[in-house]
């Protein structure tokens, strides 16, 4: 074998191995950071974490106190541990992600969404064309506010205004049919606490 090719392969292998351990360590640290913040805000009675593929992320399930029943969610991480997959992930917009569904027994005012405009197609919201909508700009991001089954316009505006870091917000939902709230964040450096706190506080705006 060509010695230069052999050297390149060895260096690539060493680099991939070092990157793997550094990436796994960083993703585990992010998982710990996000779970600690989520527990501080939601104050669960019981917690359940299921690891996804080692360094990929976690499924979470919390039993909560009134007015909440439980929270179910997922946080997934950028593949920092996979040197070969990093360019692919960057090309398709890979990032750390935090998803949370918050369940209640309370009656909700209707269905409402705050959604990053560029994410609308991926969100696949049933009956979106039948909803009332309005655009709202926060910093460099444009959001769509959408609602039906009630005049939720002002509550949605207040919810968006309450988010300390709107740049990391992708989608907020109040869904009256199954008494659920949904939050999707793309957090920077694992920071979810302030937006999650605002989310939980603002959900009460939609109780009826």
């Amino acid at each position: 074998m060509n010695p230069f090719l052999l050297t390149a392969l060895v260096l690539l292998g060493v680099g991939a191995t070092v990157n793997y351990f550094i990436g796994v360590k960083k993703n585990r640290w992010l998982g710990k950071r996000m779970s600690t913040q989520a527990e501080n805000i939601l104050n669960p009675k019981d917690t359940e974490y299921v690891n996804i593929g080692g360094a990929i992320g976690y499924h979470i399930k919390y039993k909560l106190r009134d007015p909440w029943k439980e929270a179910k969610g997922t946080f997934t991480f950028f593949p920092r541990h996979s040197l070969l997959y990093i360019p692919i992930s960057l090309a398709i917009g890979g990032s750390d992600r935090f998803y949370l569904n918050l369940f209640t027994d309370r009656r909700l005012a209707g269905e409402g969404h705050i959604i990053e405009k560029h994410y609308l197609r991926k969100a696949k919201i049933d009956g979106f064309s039948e909803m009332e909508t309005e655009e709202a700009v926060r910093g460099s991001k444009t959001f769509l506010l959408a609602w039906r089954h009630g005049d939720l316009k002002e509550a949605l505006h207040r919810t968006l205004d309450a988010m300390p870091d709107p740049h990391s917000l992708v989608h907020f939902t109040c869904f009256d049919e199954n008494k659920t709230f949904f939050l999707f964040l793309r957090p920077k450096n694992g920071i979810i606490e302030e937006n999650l706190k605002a989310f939980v506080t603002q959900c009460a705006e939609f109780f009826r």
Side-chain angles (χ1 to χ4, degrees):
M1 180 181 288
N2 186 303
F4 294 106
L5 179 58
L6 178 61
T7 301
L9 289 174
V10 170
L11 290 175
L12 179 61
V14 171
T17 300
V18 172
N19 181 80
Y20 174 81
F21 286 107
I22 292 174
V24 167
K25 184 177 180 180
K26 178 64 179 290
N27 282 358
R28 286 177 177 170
W29 176 81
L30 287 169
K32 178 64 175 176
R33 188 175 202 185
M34 283 195 234
S35 62
T36 298
Q37 293 171 81
E39 289 186 28
N40 286 343
I41 298 299
L42 295 170
N43 190 26
K45 295 187 291 184
D46 190 30
T47 65
E48 180 182 324
Y49 294 91
V50 178
N51 181 253
I52 308 168
I56 296 174
Y58 293 88
H59 294 305
I60 64 174
K61 183 177 179 180
Y62 296 161
K63 291 183 180 179
L64 303 177
R65 296 169 174 81
D66 189 67
W68 309 112
K69 291 173 55 182
E70 63 178 2
K72 294 181 180 179
T74 303
F75 38 87
T76 59
F77 308 122
F78 185 78
R80 296 171 179 86
H81 59 294
S82 178
L83 188 62
L84 298 180
Y85 190 65
I86 285 175
I88 299 172
S89 186
L90 287 171
I92 61 176
S95 64
D96 298 324
R97 301 181 180 209
F98 177 85
Y99 306 88
L100 187 74
N101 285 287
L102 194 55
F103 299 88
T104 182
D105 283 326
R106 302 286 183 91
R107 191 165 67 91
L108 304 182
E111 180 181 349
H113 300 264
I114 303 169
I115 185 165
E116 182 183 354
K117 190 174 181 179
H118 293 307
Y119 182 72
L120 182 59
R121 282 189 181 180
K122 293 182 179 180
K124 298 179 181 179
I125 301 171
D126 291 339
F128 184 82
S129 61
E130 302 166 5
M131 294 184 180
E132 297 184 71
T133 61
E134 183 170 298
E135 287 193 3
V137 178
R138 296 296 183 274
S140 60
K141 292 186 71 171
T142 300
F143 294 92
L144 284 173
L145 279 56
W147 63 95
R148 63 179 159 199
H149 306 153
D151 185 6
L152 302 182
K153 174 181 173 180
E154 296 305 320
L156 291 170
H157 271 289
R158 286 192 293 269
T159 299
L160 180 57
D161 289 338
M163 294 290 173
D165 180 22
H167 184 75
S168 71
L169 176 64
V170 181
H171 195 180
F172 162 91
T173 301
C174 166
F175 196 57
D176 59 325
E177 287 190 11
N178 59 7
K179 300 179 180 179
T180 306
F181 294 92
F182 171 71
L183 180 68
F184 172 17
L185 302 174
R186 286 196 180 103
K188 184 177 180 181
N189 207 27
I191 299 173
I192 62 170
E193 188 168 16
E194 294 303 318
N195 272 1
L196 180 57
K197 184 177 181 179
F199 165 71
V200 174
T201 300
Q202 290 303 122
C203 284
E205 286 241 19
F206 300 86
F207 288 163
R208 290 296 180 268

